[in-house]
Amino acid sequence: MTMRRWWVWIILSMVVLAAGCATSDGEPLAGAGLTATPTALVSPSPSLASPVALTPTAPIAPTATATPALLAVLTEPVSRPEDAISTETVGGIVELARWSTDARASNAVFSPDGRWLAVTGSTGVYLFDAGTLETARFIDTGREVDSVAFSPDGEVLASGAYSFFGRVSLWRTSDGALVGELESGRGSVGAVAFSPDGTMLVSGVFDGSIYFWGLAEGQMLGGLEGGSGAVSSLAFAPDGQTLASGTSEGSARLWRVADGSLLNAEEARRGGESRVTFSANGTRVAVAGGGDRVTVWRGSDGMPLLTLDHPDTVQCIAFSPDGALLATGAADGVLRFWLVDDRQLLHSVPADVSELAFSPDGRLMVSTADDRSVRFWGVDWSVAGEAWATPTPTPAPWPTSPSSAPFHALVSGDVPPGTVQDVWVSPEGEVWLVTDLSISAYAEGEWVPLYIGLANRVLGMDSTGRVWVAMNDGWRVASYEEGAWTFYGTEEGWTPGYGSAPVVDGLGRVWMVEGESVRFLDPETGQWTALTAAAVGFGPLEDMYEPVRVLTALARDQAGNVWVGSCIQDGIVIAGQGVRWFDGEAWRGSEDTAGECVHDIVVDGAGRVWMTGFDALIQYDPAARAWTRRALPEWERRQLITSFALDAAGNPWVEFIRFGATGPWHSTALYRWENEAWVAVYDPEYDAPVLWDFGPDGTAWVCSDGVVYRSAGGEIEQVGVVGGTCAEVVVDGVGRVWVEVGFDGEAVLWRFDPE
């Protein structure tokens, strides 16, 4: 049981709730292994089904000038270092040379055999001898090239460009001849990649489609829907069994090539292109999803392993040939080098980079940038010096102190990878942890993955034992029962929204509130139906400036009635319209709750219905058909109860805010009802959210302003300092206390283990 009302502080901070936009979240786990839902390859249209013959055309002659106009200014020759860039030598990396250009150089790629370096430009591709970095030839494509890839043997270069035809051009590297073209007819090609055995090529186009081509005859084999946005990045695993894809809107996918099964998906956290790349041994795939984080998945099945946080948007990524280093370029103008599996930042160099590539021998790294430069990087200790050789330590984001005892922060290795979103305890005492990468349960000292993909929070367990979870950005909800997940999206009538704690009525319908609606799931049809506030019986919002109404609370009483509460925000003014309840035939209401902002509704063992309001806790006794109010301790201005629970003895506990003279609120307090009077549990007389939960022994655990307290037998004592802003406190079945704390936009999980 948790006392947090996550939306209370949103309303009081005058934030208007809006639905996000996302797509798939990934797929569930069955036991320890990933079970993917097969996704059939998209069938080619009849007009594209005929083979595209790879018939050679006349070779395109190299340009007359030794150095193409695009790379007109070469500041200095590039000397190839003796040492490869590695975890031992990265401290000595320097910029070896910079080629200034008079047009956009968008991408640079080495051929797998180490013979060639291709640099794309506004009118074609520039091909260089990778050993000497001397110009070999210019391939005039007639338009700006968005993507290039070499065949495994380096004999063919594929290029994708802006066009209406989805055209991929294939060029012979030895003489620049155009040897074939592949057309999907679906718009610009933003990414291309060869399979490791060279028998297949994939292309990603503007509408998010990915096409597979057999190169023997140029036959389209089929395709996949790659996610929202244009496909911007493609990468095969070294064994050719899986394919990673990224889009211009920040989504990423991992696919099984044999049958098109979707193994994992990551949706955008912010705008920006997603980049994907495999390590040389295929055990890792790095994903930069358009935000300030790189996620590393297991290459075989997409299991999230770790994240690498950056201060700004990550624009490009590249693994070193040995797979131990990951180079990242971010919008803050810093090139970083990470020891991947340890999540350790080894070195950083100031540099604006938009694309990165390592040479196959690891001795060179090339980058392009928006300033029209092509830079070469390598190890040169004579230039780097001792200062450059010193690794940059990774700062500890969650330093502990003696005052934190007996709580300890759960860091990398203690919890599943990703940013903590929610921690929840089931009625049976089992702990669930939601990160932005997965959902896991804590069992016998280990985290057991239940779901891989983007999730938001656990909504609660219904009376039938199903656990309900809000997925990604509110576009889906899911239920979990006996190891199986069931998902509900737009096809099942779920309109965007996060949902709430579920309530099941006598007909087996599952009810939730979301925004200005209450919705229910019909168990027979599997479809959701949404009812507006007006349909429930809440009146129109009159004489208000910019009102925002939220249906806030939901409960079912012992007679089977479903109760719904409401709150209204109009600027800094908080109001409400009380409660309504559905008796199976019609929605009813009472003047006794008119004007109340109701955040919580709880039904006790005697069947009485408790609800929160302004300046009082309200109770309805159905046996006596009577409404009563327990007034809060007096205050000079209005007060609003934002959270409520009953302890083991049946005594009410309330968290409430006191409104200030000029602002929305003045302070927050926690009180309990004892001996016919309110008794202060925690009242700091300033504003800080108060979170609390009861342990199995009845002890109340309280977190506020970064400090954890416990209250037993009427006394409250400080237990530990965890810092930051308390976001959640829960107690599991064996008395372990779990605290989620926010700090500088991130979240950390603390735990106290009882003796």
Side-chain angles (χ1 to χ4, degrees):
M1 177 179 55
T2 175
M3 303 304 116
R4 182 176 63 165
R5 284 291 175 188
W6 59 271
W7 47 265
V8 170
W9 305 104
I10 297 177
I11 280 190
L12 297 178
S13 301
M14 295 170 285
V15 176
V16 177
L17 300 176
C21 180
T23 55
S24 173
D25 298 292
E27 296 302 329
L29 285 178
L34 185 67
T35 302
T37 299
T39 303
L41 294 175
V42 177
S43 299
S45 61
S47 62
L48 304 176
S50 58
V52 180
L54 302 183
T55 55
T57 62
I60 297 176
T63 53
T65 55
T67 302
L70 173 66
L71 304 175
V73 182
L74 177 60
T75 57
E76 57 180 307
V78 182
S79 58
R80 204 174 191 87
E82 295 182 1
D83 294 333
I85 301 171
S86 67
T87 56
E88 290 77 22
T89 64
V90 69
I93 195 170
V94 297
E95 182 181 318
L96 302 174
R98 183 183 305 190
W99 293 353
S100 300
T101 70
D102 58 6
R104 183 170 179 259
S106 59
N107 208 343
V109 178
F110 286 97
S111 63
D113 63 354
R115 284 190 296 158
W116 305 105
L117 169 67
V119 179
T120 62
S122 57
T123 59
V125 182
Y126 295 79
L127 206 58
F128 299 89
D129 184 307
T132 63
L133 293 181
E134 295 179 351
T135 305
R137 61 190 47 84
F138 171 62
I139 299 175
D140 186 0
T141 63
R143 64 190 66 214
E144 183 172 358
V145 175
D146 291 327
S147 57
V148 290
F150 284 98
S151 62
D153 59 6
E155 296 293 332
V156 177
L157 177 73
S159 66
Y162 175 83
S163 76
F164 294 106
F165 308 108
R167 180 180 298 155
V168 178
S169 300
L170 303 175
W171 311 88
R172 193 162 54 220
T173 55
S174 60
D175 57 10
L178 178 65
V179 296
E181 293 183 325
L182 308 168
E183 291 187 0
S184 67
R186 302 296 289 272
S188 299
V189 177
V192 291
F194 283 90
S195 63
D197 62 4
T199 63
M200 188 164 52
L201 181 139
V202 291
S203 61
V205 297
F206 182 78
D207 69 355
S209 299
I210 300 170
Y211 293 101
F212 290 74
W213 304 89
L215 292 177
E217 298 84 13
Q219 175 73 45
M220 182 190 287
L221 305 177
L224 299 165
E225 296 300 327
S228 58
V231 178
S232 58
S233 184
L234 291 168
F236 272 102
D239 61 5
Q241 299 299 307
T242 52
L243 174 76
S245 65
T247 74
S248 60
E249 294 185 6
S251 64
R253 303 279 192 274
L254 185 67
W255 313 87
R256 183 181 293 114
V257 174
D259 58 7
S261 298
L262 178 63
L263 299 177
N264 194 18
E266 178 174 290
E267 302 308 327
R269 297 179 182 85
R270 302 183 190 171
E273 292 188 352
S274 181
R275 299 294 182 187
V276 294
T277 185
F278 277 91
S279 61
N281 61 8
T283 61
R284 303 288 185 266
V285 56
V287 177
D292 55 2
R293 172 180 302 156
V294 175
T295 305
V296 179
W297 297 344
R298 190 163 58 199
S300 59
D301 58 13
M303 172 74 176
L305 300 174
L306 55 93
T307 58
L308 305 173
D309 293 325
H310 293 67
D312 210 332
T313 301
V314 181
Q315 301 179 140
C316 52
I317 51 178
F319 273 107
S320 61
D322 64 5
L325 275 180
L326 181 70
T328 63
D332 63 346
V334 177
L335 176 60
R336 295 173 172 84
F337 298 88
W338 303 82
L339 182 60
V340 178
D341 286 346
D342 290 345
R343 299 177 65 185
Q344 183 180 0
L345 178 62
L346 293 182
H347 194 57
S348 59
V349 181
D352 290 321
V353 292
S354 57
E355 295 291 347
L356 285 170
F358 282 90
S359 63
D361 61 6
R363 292 162 64 189
L364 283 179
M365 187 180 72
V366 63
S367 67
T368 60
D370 292 337
D371 64 0
R372 299 183 176 183
S373 68
V374 179
R375 305 187 194 189
F376 292 89
W377 306 84
V379 177
D380 189 342
W381 292 107
S382 65
V383 176
E386 191 65 29
W388 286 73
T390 303
T392 304
T394 302
W398 299 103
T400 59
S401 65
S403 61
S404 299
F407 283 86
H408 66 278
L410 304 180
V411 295
S412 177
D414 298 325
V415 292
T419 299
V420 173
Q421 303 285 96
D422 188 29
V423 58
W424 174 78
V425 173
S426 71
E428 293 79 18
E430 182 182 53
V431 179
W432 283 36
L433 181 66
V434 180
T435 75
D436 56 354
L437 300 177
S438 64
I439 303 172
S440 304
Y442 194 72
E444 298 181 357
E446 295 183 353
W447 291 103
V448 178
L450 304 176
Y451 174 83
I452 298 301
L454 182 60
N456 186 272
R457 66 175 177 272
V458 177
L459 301 173
M461 179 183 288
D462 66 27
S463 57
T464 69
R466 290 171 295 186
V467 178
W468 291 84
V469 178
M471 311 307 297
N472 63 20
D473 290 326
W475 279 71
R476 295 199 301 176
V477 292
S479 65
Y480 180 81
E481 183 179 22
E482 297 181 352
W485 289 91
T486 304
F487 296 90
Y488 301 92
T490 54
E491 292 184 358
E492 292 77 30
W494 179 265
T495 54
Y498 291 104
S500 68
V503 167
V504 180
D505 67 15
L507 299 178
R509 295 176 296 191
V510 180
W511 293 76
M512 294 186 189
V513 289
E514 167 56 42
E516 201 174 352
S517 72
V518 58
R519 53 190 68 181
F520 63 87
L521 172 68
D522 188 320
E524 299 296 328
T525 65
Q527 292 289 312
W528 288 87
T529 299
L531 304 175
T532 64
V536 172
F538 290 111
L541 303 180
E542 299 176 341
D543 300 324
M544 292 186 176
Y545 179 59
E546 291 183 342
V548 176
R549 174 168 48 196
V550 178
L551 302 189
T552 54
L554 198 64
R556 179 196 174 192
D557 64 22
Q558 292 184 355
N561 301 319
V562 176
W563 293 66
V564 178
S566 72
C567 276
I568 301 170
Q569 175 210 345
D570 186 21
I572 64 172
V573 177
I574 306 299
Q577 293 182 317
V579 296
R580 305 284 296 176
W581 63 91
F582 184 66
D583 62 7
E585 296 181 357
W587 288 94
R588 315 289 183 183
S590 171
E591 289 297 322
D592 290 273
T593 65
E596 296 290 351
C597 175
V598 177
H599 282 295
D600 249 333
I601 305 175
V602 175
V603 180
D604 66 19
R608 294 170 297 191
V609 183
W610 301 76
M611 61 207 74
T612 63
F614 288 112
D615 300 314
L617 182 64
I618 306 166
Q619 181 196 92
Y620 175 70
D621 187 342
R625 296 187 178 183
W627 295 85
T628 58
R629 303 172 68 91
R630 297 188 183 184
L632 293 176
E634 290 188 2
W635 173 252
E636 58 193 54
R637 284 176 289 276
R638 220 173 189 188
Q639 301 173 100
L640 174 64
I641 302 176
T642 54
S643 191
F644 166 79
L646 296 168
D647 63 19
N651 296 317
W653 289 54
V654 294
E655 175 201 4
F656 57 90
I657 58 173
R658 300 183 178 107
F659 287 81
T662 58
W665 59 85
H666 173 275
S667 59
T668 309
L670 176 64
Y671 276 65
R672 73 175 186 275
W673 182 263
E674 184 177 333
N675 298 324
E676 300 301 316
W678 290 109
V679 178
V681 178
Y682 178 76
D683 192 351
E685 297 187 355
Y686 61 86
D687 174 53
V690 179
L691 293 306
W692 86 96
D693 195 13
F694 297 114
D697 62 353
T699 298
W701 291 86
V702 181
C703 186
S704 182
D705 204 22
V707 181
V708 180
Y709 308 85
R710 63 182 162 199
S711 175
E715 299 296 328
I716 189 168
E717 61 174 333
Q718 179 175 318
V719 178
V721 178
V722 292
T725 301
C726 300
E728 190 77 274
V729 57
V730 293
V731 186
D732 65 21
V734 297
R736 288 179 297 233
V737 183
W738 305 75
V739 181
E740 177 191 344
V741 177
F743 184 78
D744 283 347
E746 295 292 336
V748 72
L749 191 63
W750 295 77
R751 191 180 73 203
F752 165 66
D753 296 313
E755 298 180 354

